[in-house]
């Protein structure tokens, strides 16, 4: 497992993911988080809410890790990826890794070989790696820029979950309001999405990574996101990109990452689910972004 020397061959990523998933389940390196899924309808979107009782334990572990880091013992799980979870280099600058604690099957991490901060802006090499992944897998790529945007790890990583995420008509719950085929090429605000955002149509098959980085720049410009440490979530499929600014990590105790804006929530227990129903998912999304 070395930088540059083990580039994944074109067309092999999906088979590699499936083969490594089976193996890593067998060795215990992969530890899926069991969940139950409920649908909560709000403002025209069937939000998928996954309830994960073991999330409390994971949050406690992450807190313990943050405390250790504060005490100067920094542990970076991406500095030396676990061999059973490692998939190979996507580009000279990025490698692919299975998420060790997936809620969704075949959840992939797109990680920089060298340490870069999760709060630094996405760069051309990041979009080159995203381009490679999206050309191999029809999925949702997302980025949680820093802890306020839902990131638990400070080493730069984008993520991908394969589509479709929902069984309904759209491939993602948010598709019902986003209507990807009707999006313009220039950044716009989708009137029916009631949280701050900018979105536009893209074509990962024909646009180069330079052009995709330019689209990211245009979305940032639309929202006035200029600085490294500004928290935001990026969501991208083969057909659209959306940027959401973040004001806080949680609202009324409910933690949100980029998947929330695609219509996917993760909660710790049924009390949280009821709280979410009471407040309404859209209000929670507004609460963390404005
Ligand atoms: P985020 O919480 O959005 O920053 O994403 C980081 C992801 O890394 C989490 O979903 C974790 O499940 C995952 N993770 C934590 N430790 C490891 C590890 N050692 N190997 C692979 N994935 C990990």
């Amino acid at each position: 497992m070395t930088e540059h020397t083990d580039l994944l061959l074109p067309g092999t990523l999906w088979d590699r993911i499936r083969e490594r998933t089976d193996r890593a389940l067998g060795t215990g390196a992969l530890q899926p988080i069991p969940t139950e899924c409920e649908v909560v309808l709000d403002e025209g979107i069937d939000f998928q809410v996954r309830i994960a009782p073991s999330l409390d334990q994971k949050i406690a572990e992450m807190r313990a890790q943050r405390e250790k880091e504060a005490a100067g013992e920094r542990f970076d799980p991406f500095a030396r990826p676990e061999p059973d979870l490692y998939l190979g280099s996507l580009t000279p600058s990025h490698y692919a890794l299975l998420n060790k604690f997936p809620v969704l099957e075949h959840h992939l991490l797109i990680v920089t070989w060298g340490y870069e901060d999760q709060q630094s802006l996405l760069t051309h090499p990041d979009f080159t790696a995203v381009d490679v992944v999206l050309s191999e897998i029809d999925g949702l790529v997302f980025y949680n820029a820093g802890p306020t945007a839902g990131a638990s790890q400070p080493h730069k990583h984008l993520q991908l979950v394969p589509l479709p995420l929902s069984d309904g008509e759209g491939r993602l719950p948010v598709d019902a309001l986003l209507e990807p085929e009707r999006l313009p090429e220039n950044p716009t605000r989708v009137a029916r999405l009631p949280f701050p955002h900018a979105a536009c149509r893209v074509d990962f098959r024909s646009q180069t990574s330079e052009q995709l980085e330019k689209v990211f720049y245009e979305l940032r410009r639309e929202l006035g996101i200029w600085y490294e440490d500004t928290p935001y979530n990026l969501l991208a499929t083969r057909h659209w990109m959306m940027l959401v600014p973040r004001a806080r990590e949680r609202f009324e105790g409910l933690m949100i990452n980029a998947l929330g804006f695609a219509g996917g929530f993760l909660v710790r227990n049924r009390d949280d689910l009821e709280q979410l129903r009471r407040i309404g998912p859209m209000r929670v999304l507004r609460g963390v972004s404005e």
Side-chain angles (χ1 to χ4, degrees):
M1 188 207 315
T2 49
E3 206 166 339
H4 306 285
T5 56
D6 63 343
L7 277 182
L8 282 159
L9 293 173
T12 61
L13 181 58
W14 185 236
D15 285 345
R16 178 73 62 100
I17 290 173
R18 289 203 302 201
E19 174 237 315
R20 290 292 150 91
T21 296
D22 289 346
R23 204 168 82 187
L25 283 171
T27 63
L30 196 60
Q31 299 173 21
I33 297 182
T35 58
E36 284 172 46
C37 189
E38 298 250 346
V39 171
V40 177
L41 176 64
D42 189 21
E43 299 194 33
I45 290 194
D46 282 331
F47 284 91
Q48 293 182 1
V49 185
R50 291 188 168 76
I51 307 146
S54 61
L55 202 61
D56 259 344
Q57 191 194 337
K58 197 175 163 236
I59 290 171
E61 284 168 11
M62 279 172 1
R63 278 215 188 103
Q65 187 186 318
R66 277 191 200 172
E67 277 162 23
K68 270 193 198 166
E69 283 176 13
E73 291 174 50
R74 187 173 193 160
F75 172 69
D76 176 3
F78 303 149
R80 272 189 300 279
E82 282 183 41
D84 283 352
L85 303 174
Y86 176 74
L87 299 166
S89 279
L90 295 162
T91 62
S93 56
H94 288 67
Y95 69 86
L97 183 72
L98 292 175
N99 185 332
K100 186 171 179 65
F101 309 108
V103 168
L104 299 166
E105 201 180 18
H106 301 135
H107 182 161
L108 195 73
L109 304 179
I110 304 161
V111 186
T112 55
W113 268 118
Y115 184 85
E116 285 180 43
D117 199 281
Q118 187 71 4
Q119 279 170 283
S120 58
L121 289 170
L122 295 173
T123 58
H124 178 221
D126 293 320
F127 282 98
T128 307
V130 168
D131 201 13
V132 168
V133 171
L134 279 180
S135 68
E136 304 255 334
I137 299 170
D138 185 11
L140 171 72
V141 167
F142 60 97
Y143 185 63
N144 304 319
T148 306
S152 62
Q153 297 297 333
H155 181 145
K156 197 193 242 182
H157 56 285
L158 292 113
Q159 314 191 37
L160 172 132
V161 288
L163 293 178
L165 209 67
S166 53
D167 303 329
E169 270 179 36
R171 287 144 30 85
L172 279 167
V174 74
D175 282 354
L177 298 187
L178 191 69
E179 298 186 289
E181 63 289 346
R182 294 177 64 175
L183 277 176
E185 281 175 18
N186 293 321
T188 190
R189 190 176 189 288
V190 178
R192 294 166 74 198
L193 287 180
F195 48 80
H197 68 278
C200 63
R201 180 149 49 89
V202 291
D203 184 352
F204 266 86
R205 285 179 193 270
S206 66
Q207 284 175 280
T208 63
S209 43
E210 283 91 351
Q211 288 170 321
L212 296 166
E213 189 195 4
K214 174 99 190 320
V215 171
F216 173 60
Y217 171 81
E218 298 292 345
L219 292 171
R220 278 172 43 214
R221 190 162 74 162
E222 190 72 13
L223 296 172
I225 295 179
W226 299 116
Y227 302 110
E228 296 267 293
D229 52 1
T230 309
Y232 64 87
N233 292 120
L234 175 74
L235 295 87
T237 69
R238 284 177 172 175
H239 309 293
W240 56 265
M241 249 196 234
M242 176 162 74
L243 205 60
V244 182
R246 289 294 296 267
R248 50 196 70 81
E249 179 191 19
R250 60 185 76 209
F251 184 74
E252 304 279 340
L254 299 163
M255 281 173 74
I256 303 298
N257 73 10
L259 284 176
F261 299 98
F265 280 70
L266 185 62
V267 297
R268 292 168 302 178
N269 49 44
R270 293 210 162 255
D271 288 347
D272 278 0
L273 171 67
E274 289 320 313
Q275 164 96 326
L276 180 61
R277 277 192 207 280
R278 222 173 16 249
I279 301 172
M282 280 300 193
R283 223 184 110 212
V284 173
L285 295 180
R286 275 203 306 271
V288 294
S289 55
E290 33 177 61

